[in-house]
Amino acid sequence: MKNKTKVQRSTKKEFSERIREHQGIIHKVTMVYTDGPADREDLFQEICLQLWKSYPRFRGEAKFSTWMYRVALNTAISNVRKNRNKPVHEFLNENVQLIDEIQLDGDQVRLLYRAIAALNRIDKAIILLWLDEKSYDEIASVMGTSISNVSVKLVRIKRRLEALIRDAEKHEL
Amino acid sequence: MLNLNEMNDEKLKAMWSKAEKLAGTSDYKSPAIEQFISGRSNDAASKIRNMIILDIALKTLVLAVLIVDFVLFWGTFHVMVVTVAGAVMLIPLLFYQKKLLNRFTLTAYNGQSTRDKLASMLTYLKTRFFTTLLLVAITYLFGFIAGSLAYFYAAYGYVRQLDGVDVMVFLGFIVIGILFNFLVNRAQVNYQIKHLELCLSDLNENNLALVSENIELQRKQDRSNKILLALVVIVGFVLLVAVFMNV
């Protein structure tokens, strides 16, 4: 019993270290699926917990990062809470200092963010994986759909992003 | 001005990598992450899983109390018959609930593809969730019988005979409890079902039709299980009447 607890503690430590190294993936997911620092932290914790719960079934058939994306996106997509409609730009306004630091791209990045935030949960996942340099094959495997569907969807998502950005620009002018 | 037409994919990706800086994300250290993974989950699947685990624990407790009742009322034939009948019905239900828990653990696993996760959760909520609620209702009923017997033994040393009005009041409370539990859960689950259906059709328009076919098939397979469980609820009510009216 004592040995089992010791093994579990060391596995927990090892796992936490592994998550720490790849935490960027979780941050990216929480960034597009939440609308404020508090929600972001809640979702971050929930994803860590779900990763830990799912870890015993991870057999190394996929890359660790791809598996992490799977768990993180499934957690974020299933994470439904009523009355959480705070627009993403409010959250971005909380990071004004950071926007100023990259002034040149600040507006563009902010618009890109707002556009991604307006997408549905599935499209967010697909564009997120694509922006993170995942191949069509990997995206299809994470989402459980065909490569041709991913390809068609990506064309549509990019068009929708363009329309959303154009719309946002008009409103800002 | 940002125009995706004028930009190539590489530019968009480069912009995204800059966007990461905007989030001002914290850099969590290992001890903080260790603390996160020791916490409690708030997601719907975990709540359902906890409900099943709690039900297994309660069924085990009720079974133990029924065994104690059997010993306490040794010699009172109709009470002994009721406790044995209750135990005989509860034991297979315990195994069935354990089987449902194992299946649900697979359903709730987040490492499967998004489509599989959404489809399996939707199928569970539209089919087996009702069975889970019936199993929980059965625990209430048998829990009431086992608990009341123990109470009567402690208070009077025998099963106090109840008149028709008493039994109707008790049955009324139990039915209201079961219905309330069912309706509250149903309302929460309906919201979840709508969300899952929306996500599935967003992923692929044909998904929902395919999953619906599978749900119909599973509903047909589960029909006999539901009828059996409904029969157990009815038998439970009959036992309740029998024991407290000294039939």
Side-chain angles (χ1 to χ4, degrees), chain B residues 82 85 89 93 134-135 137-139 141-142 145 167 171 174-175 178 225-243:
Chain B
V82 166
M89 278 189 272
L93 291 180
L134 262 175
L135 281 162
I138 291 168
T139 314
L141 192 59
F142 285 91
I145 296 174
V167 172
L171 283 179
I174 294 172
V175 170
I178 290 172
N225 282 337
K226 279 175 193 158
I227 293 170
L228 271 175
L229 289 175
L231 272 176
V232 174
V233 175
I234 293 166
V235 171
F237 276 115
V238 172
L239 290 178
L240 184 93
V241 174
V243 73

Side-chain angles (χ1 to χ4, degrees), chain A residues 7 79 87 115 121 125 137 162:
Chain A
V7 168
N79 185 39
R121 284 170 184 248
D137 196 21
E162 187 194 336

Side-chain angles (χ1 to χ4, degrees), chain B residues 161-190:
Chain B
Q161 193 174 353
L162 303 175
D163 58 26
V165 177
D166 288 337
V167 172
M168 288 304 283
V169 170
F170 281 136
L171 283 179
F173 275 119
I174 294 172
V175 170
I176 289 169
I178 290 172
L179 274 179
F180 182 74
N181 179 52
F182 181 80
L183 292 174
V184 167
N185 275 300
R186 196 74 210 156
Q188 284 171 356
V189 159
N190 278 345

Side-chain angles (χ1 to χ4, degrees), chain B:
Chain B
M1 290 282 172
L2 177 69
N3 186 338
L4 294 184
N5 276 342
E6 291 166 7
M7 300 177 60
N8 59 35
D9 290 352
E10 292 313 311
K11 269 189 180 171
L12 197 60
K13 286 177 182 176
M15 208 162 78
W16 172 249
S17 66
K18 278 177 188 155
E20 285 175 42
K21 291 178 197 166
L22 274 177
T25 48
S26 327
D27 180 22
Y28 292 109
K29 304 280 177 244
S30 286
I33 293 170
E34 249 185 271
Q35 221 176 356
F36 292 160
I37 63 176
S38 307
R40 284 181 68 179
S41 172
N42 276 322
D43 81 331
S46 296
K47 281 175 189 160
I48 294 172
R49 200 168 174 270
N50 290 342
M51 184 172 86
I52 300 175
I53 291 170
L54 181 71
D55 187 55
I56 290 173
L58 282 176
K59 274 195 171 67
T60 311
L61 182 70
V62 170
L63 189 64
V65 177
L66 280 174
I67 293 167
V68 171
D69 288 339
F70 179 81
V71 175
L72 293 176
F73 287 97
W74 182 263
T76 314
F77 184 69
H78 76 282
V79 179
M80 286 168 70
V81 169
V82 166
T83 52
V84 170
V88 165
M89 278 189 272
L90 273 181
I91 291 168
L93 291 180
L94 252 173
F95 284 103
Y96 184 54
Q97 186 70 301
K98 179 80 178 56
K99 201 171 142 190
L100 277 185
L101 177 67
N102 291 342
R103 279 193 196 155
F104 185 72
T105 307
L106 286 178
T107 300
Y109 174 54
N110 273 314
Q112 53 193 318
S113 74
T114 302
R115 188 218 171 261
D116 290 349
K117 170 79 205 271
L118 295 171
S120 58
M121 268 307 277
L122 185 64
T123 308
Y124 171 80
L125 292 179
K126 281 194 147 185
T127 57
R128 297 238 157 88
F129 186 68
F130 183 73
T131 313
T132 308
L133 288 183
L134 262 175
L135 281 162
V136 172
I138 291 168
T139 314
Y140 285 165
L141 192 59
F142 285 91
F144 181 79
I145 296 174
S148 302
L149 285 175
Y151 169 75
F152 280 142
Y153 186 83
Y156 308 105
Y158 62 94
V159 179
R160 208 191 76 185
Q161 193 174 353
L162 303 175
D163 58 26
V165 177
D166 288 337
V167 172
M168 288 304 283
V169 170
F170 281 136
L171 283 179
F173 275 119
I174 294 172
V175 170
I176 289 169
I178 290 172
L179 274 179
F180 182 74
N181 179 52
F182 181 80
L183 292 174
V184 167
N185 275 300
R186 196 74 210 156
Q188 284 171 356
V189 159
N190 278 345
Y191 185 74
Q192 191 79 13
I193 285 173
K194 273 184 199 155
H195 172 73
L196 292 170
E197 284 177 341
L198 186 72
C199 287
L200 263 173
S201 60
D202 280 342
L203 187 59
N204 187 327
E205 283 153 15
N206 301 325
N207 268 336
L208 207 53
L210 287 170
V211 175
S212 298
E213 275 175 33
N214 190 34
I215 287 171
E216 269 317 302
L217 197 75
Q218 199 149 348
R219 266 192 187 149
K220 276 180 196 159
Q221 286 170 351
D222 277 358
R223 205 161 285 162
S224 52
N225 282 337
K226 279 175 193 158
I227 293 170
L228 271 175
L229 289 175
L231 272 176
V232 174
V233 175
I234 293 166
V235 171
F237 276 115
V238 172
L239 290 178
L240 184 93
V241 174
V243 73
F244 293 115
M245 291 190 83
N246 279 350
V247 177

